[in-house]
CSV table of all heavy atoms in Angstrom, one decimal:
chain,number,residue,atom,x,y,z
T,1,GLY,N,-34.7,27.1,11.3
T,1,GLY,CA,-34.2,28.1,10.4
T,1,GLY,C,-33.9,29.5,11.0
T,1,GLY,O,-32.9,30.1,10.8
T,2,LEU,N,-34.9,29.9,11.8
T,2,LEU,CA,-34.7,31.2,12.4
T,2,LEU,C,-33.7,31.2,13.6
T,2,LEU,O,-33.0,32.1,13.9
T,2,LEU,CB,-36.1,31.8,12.9
T,2,LEU,CG,-37.0,32.2,11.8
T,2,LEU,CD1,-38.3,32.7,12.3
T,2,LEU,CD2,-36.4,33.2,10.8
T,3,ALA,N,-33.7,30.0,14.3
T,3,ALA,CA,-32.7,29.9,15.4
T,3,ALA,C,-31.3,29.9,14.8
T,3,ALA,O,-30.4,30.6,15.3
T,3,ALA,CB,-32.9,28.6,16.1
T,4,ILE,N,-31.1,29.3,13.7
T,4,ILE,CA,-29.8,29.3,13.0
T,4,ILE,C,-29.5,30.7,12.5
T,4,ILE,O,-28.3,31.2,12.6
T,4,ILE,CB,-29.7,28.2,11.8
T,4,ILE,CG1,-29.7,26.8,12.4
T,4,ILE,CG2,-28.5,28.5,10.9
T,4,ILE,CD1,-30.0,25.7,11.4
T,5,SER,N,-30.4,31.3,11.9
T,5,SER,CA,-30.3,32.7,11.4
T,5,SER,C,-29.9,33.6,12.5
T,5,SER,O,-29.0,34.5,12.4
T,5,SER,CB,-31.5,33.2,10.7
T,5,SER,OG,-31.8,32.4,9.5
T,6,LYS,N,-30.5,33.5,13.7
T,6,LYS,CA,-30.2,34.3,14.8
T,6,LYS,C,-28.8,34.1,15.2
T,6,LYS,O,-28.0,35.1,15.5
T,6,LYS,CB,-31.1,33.9,16.0
T,6,LYS,CG,-30.8,34.6,17.3
T,6,LYS,CD,-31.7,34.0,18.4
T,6,LYS,CE,-31.2,34.6,19.8
T,6,LYS,NZ,-32.0,34.0,20.9
T,7,LYS,N,-28.3,32.9,15.3
T,7,LYS,CA,-26.9,32.7,15.7
T,7,LYS,C,-25.9,33.2,14.7
T,7,LYS,O,-24.9,33.8,15.1
T,7,LYS,CB,-26.6,31.2,15.9
T,7,LYS,CG,-27.3,30.6,17.1
T,7,LYS,CD,-27.1,31.3,18.4
T,7,LYS,CE,-25.7,31.4,19.0
T,7,LYS,NZ,-25.6,32.1,20.2
T,8,ILE,N,-26.2,33.1,13.4
T,8,ILE,CA,-25.3,33.6,12.4
T,8,ILE,C,-25.2,35.1,12.5
T,8,ILE,O,-24.1,35.7,12.5
T,8,ILE,CB,-25.8,33.2,11.0
T,8,ILE,CG1,-25.6,31.7,10.7
T,8,ILE,CG2,-25.2,34.0,9.9
T,8,ILE,CD1,-26.3,31.2,9.5
T,9,LEU,N,-26.4,35.8,12.7
T,9,LEU,CA,-26.4,37.2,12.8
T,9,LEU,C,-25.7,37.7,14.1
T,9,LEU,O,-25.0,38.7,14.1
T,9,LEU,CB,-27.8,37.8,12.7
T,9,LEU,CG,-28.4,37.6,11.3
T,9,LEU,CD1,-29.9,37.9,11.2
T,9,LEU,CD2,-27.6,38.4,10.2
T,10,GLU,N,-25.9,36.9,15.2
T,10,GLU,CA,-25.2,37.2,16.4
T,10,GLU,C,-23.7,37.1,16.3
T,10,GLU,O,-22.9,37.9,16.8
T,10,GLU,CB,-25.7,36.4,17.6
T,10,GLU,CG,-27.1,36.7,18.1
T,10,GLU,CD,-27.6,35.8,19.1
T,10,GLU,OE1,-27.0,34.7,19.3
T,10,GLU,OE2,-28.6,36.2,19.7
T,11,LEU,N,-23.2,36.1,15.5
T,11,LEU,CA,-21.8,35.9,15.3
T,11,LEU,C,-21.2,37.0,14.4
T,11,LEU,O,-20.0,37.3,14.4
T,11,LEU,CB,-21.5,34.5,14.7
T,11,LEU,CG,-21.7,33.3,15.6
T,11,LEU,CD1,-21.7,32.0,14.8
T,11,LEU,CD2,-20.6,33.3,16.6
T,12,HIS,N,-22.1,37.6,13.6
T,12,HIS,CA,-21.7,38.8,12.8
T,12,HIS,C,-21.7,40.1,13.7
T,12,HIS,O,-21.3,41.1,13.2
T,12,HIS,CB,-22.6,39.0,11.6
T,12,HIS,CG,-22.2,38.1,10.4
T,12,HIS,ND1,-22.6,36.8,10.4
T,12,HIS,CD2,-21.4,38.3,9.3
T,12,HIS,CE1,-22.1,36.2,9.2
T,12,HIS,NE2,-21.4,37.2,8.6
T,13,ASP,N,-22.4,40.0,14.9
T,13,ASP,CA,-22.5,41.1,15.8
T,13,ASP,C,-23.2,42.3,15.1
T,13,ASP,O,-22.7,43.4,15.1
T,13,ASP,CB,-21.1,41.6,16.3
T,13,ASP,CG,-21.3,42.5,17.5
T,13,ASP,OD1,-22.3,42.4,18.2
T,13,ASP,OD2,-20.3,43.3,17.7
T,14,VAL,N,-24.4,42.0,14.5
T,14,VAL,CA,-25.1,43.0,13.8
T,14,VAL,C,-26.6,43.0,14.3
T,14,VAL,O,-27.1,42.0,14.8
T,14,VAL,CB,-25.1,42.8,12.2
T,14,VAL,CG1,-23.8,42.9,11.7
T,14,VAL,CG2,-25.7,41.4,11.9
T,15,PRO,N,-27.2,44.2,14.2
T,15,PRO,CA,-28.6,44.3,14.6
T,15,PRO,C,-29.5,43.4,13.6
T,15,PRO,O,-29.2,43.3,12.4
T,15,PRO,CB,-29.0,45.8,14.4
T,15,PRO,CG,-27.7,46.5,14.4
T,15,PRO,CD,-26.7,45.5,13.8
T,16,TYR,N,-30.5,42.8,14.1
T,16,TYR,CA,-31.5,42.1,13.3
T,16,TYR,C,-32.8,42.1,14.1
T,16,TYR,O,-32.9,42.4,15.3
T,16,TYR,CB,-31.0,40.6,13.1
T,16,TYR,CG,-31.0,39.8,14.4
T,16,TYR,CD1,-32.0,39.0,14.7
T,16,TYR,CD2,-29.9,39.9,15.2
T,16,TYR,CE1,-32.0,38.3,15.9
T,16,TYR,CE2,-29.8,39.1,16.4
T,16,TYR,CZ,-30.9,38.3,16.7
T,16,TYR,OH,-30.9,37.6,17.9
T,17,GLY,N,-33.9,41.7,13.4
T,17,GLY,CA,-35.2,41.5,14.1
T,17,GLY,C,-36.3,41.3,13.2
T,17,GLY,O,-36.2,41.1,12.0
T,18,VAL,N,-37.5,41.4,13.8
T,18,VAL,CA,-38.7,41.2,13.1
T,18,VAL,C,-39.8,42.1,13.7
T,18,VAL,O,-39.8,42.3,15.0
T,18,VAL,CB,-39.2,39.7,13.1
T,18,VAL,CG1,-39.4,39.2,14.6
T,18,VAL,CG2,-40.4,39.5,12.3
T,19,PHE,N,-40.7,42.6,12.9
T,19,PHE,CA,-41.8,43.3,13.5
T,19,PHE,C,-43.0,43.2,12.5
T,19,PHE,O,-42.8,43.0,11.3
T,19,PHE,CB,-41.5,44.8,13.8
T,19,PHE,CG,-41.0,45.6,12.6
T,19,PHE,CD1,-41.9,46.3,11.8
T,19,PHE,CD2,-39.6,45.6,12.3
T,19,PHE,CE1,-41.4,47.0,10.8
T,19,PHE,CE2,-39.1,46.4,11.3
T,19,PHE,CZ,-40.0,47.1,10.5
T,20,ASN,N,-44.2,43.5,13.1
T,20,ASN,CA,-45.4,43.5,12.2
T,20,ASN,C,-45.5,44.9,11.6
T,20,ASN,O,-45.2,45.9,12.2
T,20,ASN,CB,-46.6,43.2,13.1
T,20,ASN,CG,-46.7,41.8,13.5
T,20,ASN,OD1,-46.5,40.9,12.7
T,20,ASN,ND2,-47.1,41.6,14.8
T,21,THR,N,-45.8,44.9,10.3
T,21,THR,CA,-46.1,46.1,9.5
T,21,THR,C,-47.6,46.3,9.4
T,21,THR,O,-48.3,45.4,9.9
T,21,THR,CB,-45.4,46.0,8.2
T,21,THR,OG1,-46.0,45.0,7.4
T,21,THR,CG2,-43.9,45.8,8.2
T,22,GLU,N,-48.0,47.3,8.8
T,22,GLU,CA,-49.4,47.5,8.6
T,22,GLU,C,-50.1,46.3,7.8
T,22,GLU,O,-51.2,45.9,8.2
T,22,GLU,CB,-49.6,48.8,7.8
T,22,GLU,CG,-51.1,49.2,7.7
T,22,GLU,CD,-51.3,50.5,6.9
T,22,GLU,OE1,-50.4,51.4,7.1
T,22,GLU,OE2,-52.3,50.7,6.2
T,23,ASP,N,-49.3,45.8,6.8
T,23,ASP,CA,-49.9,44.7,6.0
T,23,ASP,C,-49.3,43.4,6.2
T,23,ASP,O,-49.7,42.4,5.5
T,23,ASP,CB,-49.8,45.1,4.5
T,23,ASP,CG,-50.5,46.4,4.2
T,23,ASP,OD1,-51.6,46.7,4.7
T,23,ASP,OD2,-50.0,47.2,3.4
T,24,GLY,N,-48.3,43.2,7.0
T,24,GLY,CA,-47.7,41.9,7.1
T,24,GLY,C,-46.6,41.9,8.2
T,24,GLY,O,-46.7,42.4,9.3
T,25,VAL,N,-45.4,41.2,7.8
T,25,VAL,CA,-44.3,41.0,8.7
T,25,VAL,C,-43.0,41.4,8.0
T,25,VAL,O,-42.9,41.1,6.8
T,25,VAL,CB,-44.3,39.6,9.1
T,25,VAL,CG1,-43.1,39.3,10.0
T,25,VAL,CG2,-45.6,39.2,9.8
T,26,MET,N,-42.1,42.1,8.7
T,26,MET,CA,-40.8,42.4,8.1
T,26,MET,C,-39.7,41.9,9.0
T,26,MET,O,-39.6,42.1,10.2
T,26,MET,CB,-40.6,43.9,8.0
T,26,MET,CG,-39.3,44.3,7.4
T,26,MET,SD,-39.0,46.0,7.1
T,26,MET,CE,-40.3,46.4,5.9
T,27,PHE,N,-38.8,41.1,8.3
T,27,PHE,CA,-37.6,40.7,8.9
T,27,PHE,C,-36.5,41.6,8.4
T,27,PHE,O,-36.5,42.0,7.2
T,27,PHE,CB,-37.2,39.2,8.6
T,27,PHE,CG,-38.1,38.2,9.3
T,27,PHE,CD1,-39.3,37.9,8.9
T,27,PHE,CD2,-37.5,37.6,10.4
T,27,PHE,CE1,-40.1,37.0,9.6
T,27,PHE,CE2,-38.3,36.7,11.1
T,27,PHE,CZ,-39.6,36.3,10.7
T,28,TYR,N,-35.5,41.9,9.2
T,28,TYR,CA,-34.4,42.8,8.8
T,28,TYR,C,-33.1,42.4,9.5
T,28,TYR,O,-33.1,41.7,10.5
T,28,TYR,CB,-34.7,44.2,9.1
T,28,TYR,CG,-34.7,44.5,10.6
T,28,TYR,CD1,-33.5,45.0,11.2
T,28,TYR,CD2,-35.9,44.4,11.3
T,28,TYR,CE1,-33.5,45.2,12.6
T,28,TYR,CE2,-35.8,44.6,12.7
T,28,TYR,CZ,-34.7,45.0,13.3
T,28,TYR,OH,-34.6,45.3,14.6
């Protein structure tokens, strides 16, 4: 799922990522 999402977002040529927050995880 995340590998497919990565390729889709790369094909859109847009910033994306993931990071830990104080209470959990954020994907953007």
Side-chain angles (χ1 to χ4, degrees):
L2 291 178
I4 291 169
S5 296
K6 173 185 174 182
K7 291 310 295 182
I8 290 170
L9 294 169
E10 286 175 349
L11 288 167
H12 279 82
D13 194 29
V14 295
Y16 68 93
V18 59
F19 59 90
N20 289 316
T21 63
E22 185 176 326
D23 298 324
V25 177
M26 181 177 296
F27 283 82
Y28 69 90

